[in-house]
Amino acid sequence: EVQVVESGGGSVQTGGSLRLSCAVTGYIWMSRRVAWFRQAPGKEREGVASLTDTGSSLYSASAKGRFTLSRGDKFTWYLQMNDLTPEDTAEYFCAANQGPSYQPPKLGVDDYDDWGQGTHVTVSS
């Protein structure tokens, strides 16, 4: 059974930092791709960052230069978020899928099969 579990959300002031964690278990044979999405009230879910097992990454325009998605141990990924603004306030979701090693990083909701429950990030001015 595949499980995706997020942690690390919270409240910070503008300019602060947070690190979100995502634990993905249950994939056995194929290469993994992990991504973070976020959804603010009244808005669509948007991709923020994606990372493949081969180390290829992709960031949204709003995340580039401020967020870094990295892999820790075999089952854990981290999203380091710096220089946060109130526009970053949202529910953040980790998503994952398994596939061939050449699968590129992607930020589409439909590109991922397994999702976590979300963790909330609030940035106050």
Side-chain angles (χ1 to χ4, degrees):
E1 178 186 1
V2 177
Q3 288 190 323
V4 180
V5 180
E6 307 99 332
S7 61
S11 298
V12 295
Q13 291 188 326
T14 296
S17 299
L18 278 176
R19 189 177 79 162
L20 307 182
S21 299
C22 176
V24 181
T25 56
Y27 291 159
I28 299 176
W29 299 114
M30 303 190 77
S31 180
R32 297 158 299 178
R33 177 171 60 197
V34 171
W36 282 93
F37 291 77
R38 68 185 183 185
Q39 188 166 18
K43 294 188 176 182
E44 293 188 353
R45 191 169 297 190
E46 63 170 347
V48 172
S50 172
L51 181 67
T52 69
D53 266 352
T54 60
S56 295
S57 61
L58 179 65
Y59 294 90
S60 67
S62 63
K64 193 173 295 184
R66 300 188 301 129
F67 295 4
T68 302
L69 178 55
S70 62
R71 180 177 158 186
D73 61 22
K74 187 176 180 180
F75 304 108
T76 308
W77 283 257
Y78 300 105
L79 182 67
Q80 178 67 42
M81 305 187 295
N82 299 327
D83 195 21
L84 288 163
T85 73
E87 287 68 39
D88 296 312
T89 295
E91 191 78 8
Y92 283 71
F93 298 89
C94 184
N97 82 304
Q98 55 182 345
S101 60
Y102 54 79
Q103 63 176 346
K106 288 192 174 183
L107 294 177
V109 171
D110 293 339
D111 295 316
Y112 296 88
D113 300 316
D114 300 292
W115 292 79
Q117 294 300 308
T119 185
H120 195 74
V121 171
T122 299
V123 185
S124 58
S125 58

